[in-house]
Amino acid sequence: MMKRTIDVVCAVMMRADKVLCMRRKPRGATYTAHHYEFPGGKIETGETPEQALSREISEEMEWAVTVREHLATVVHEYPDFTIRLMAYRCDVPPTDNFVLHDHDDLTWLPPDALASLDWSAADRKLLEAMQSEGVLQKYVTDI
């Protein structure tokens, strides 16, 4: 039986040369629960990736972001599904006035410290792809 593939978008949000990393609450599959990730979620039928990301950040954090350019896409196979994870750079509001609905921790880290976190497998793969292409470093210098 073929595994289903889920299209998921995530936000790479930076402020003052640091990237927002969020840890999922300890619920759901053990291979994603309580691991760090870039916030986001599934694309629903009829949505563009940008629309889905804006909606997901609003639902997860009650925060309005501006979705910018696509940064990278990776495909990762989990035991029961395959994820196609697409990262977009997002502009963030100037204040941390948000609510954590799906996460229990967050941290802002410089790009060279991101690998120290316990990431979900798909997000780690995405992080490695962005770092190997110099995407995050370019983003830091563009601020």
Side-chain angles (χ1 to χ4, degrees):
M1 179 199 292
M2 278 202 44
K3 294 179 189 176
R4 65 188 174 120
T5 297
I6 302 172
D7 288 327
V8 175
V9 287
C10 66
V12 176
M13 299 184 268
M14 294 188 75
R15 181 182 295 141
D17 81 351
K18 293 186 178 171
V19 180
L20 180 61
C21 311
M22 302 182 75
R23 188 177 64 194
R24 290 188 63 80
K25 288 183 177 178
R27 64 176 184 226
T30 57
Y31 46 80
T32 57
H34 227 241
H35 288 80
Y36 281 87
E37 66 179 8
F38 298 104
K42 297 174 190 164
I43 299 174
E44 294 182 358
T45 304
E47 285 184 317
T48 66
E50 295 85 355
Q51 290 167 332
L53 188 51
S54 181
R55 176 188 50 76
E56 284 287 345
I57 298 302
S58 178
E59 290 173 3
E60 286 184 8
M61 302 172 66
E62 297 181 21
W63 215 18
V65 297
T66 302
V67 180
R68 298 294 183 189
E69 74 271 12
H70 173 259
L71 299 175
T73 297
V74 296
V75 175
H76 181 77
E77 237 182 271
Y78 282 112
D80 52 344
F81 66 94
T82 300
I83 182 175
R84 184 175 14 255
L85 183 59
M86 298 165 259
Y88 286 81
R89 182 173 74 88
C90 293
D91 292 343
V92 298
T95 65
D96 286 344
N97 187 22
F98 54 80
V99 179
L100 298 180
H101 291 291
D102 295 337
H103 301 91
D104 65 4
D105 189 35
L106 67 92
T107 186
W108 293 88
L109 291 176
D112 61 357
L114 296 175
S116 67
L117 296 177
D118 184 15
W119 292 90
S120 70
D123 286 80
R124 178 167 296 281
K125 195 174 196 177
L126 181 65
L127 174 61
E128 290 167 356
M130 289 189 295
Q131 288 178 326
S132 72
E133 295 175 22
V135 170
L136 295 178
Q137 198 56 40
K138 176 190 179 302
Y139 190 10
V140 168
T141 57
D142 282 352
I143 293 176

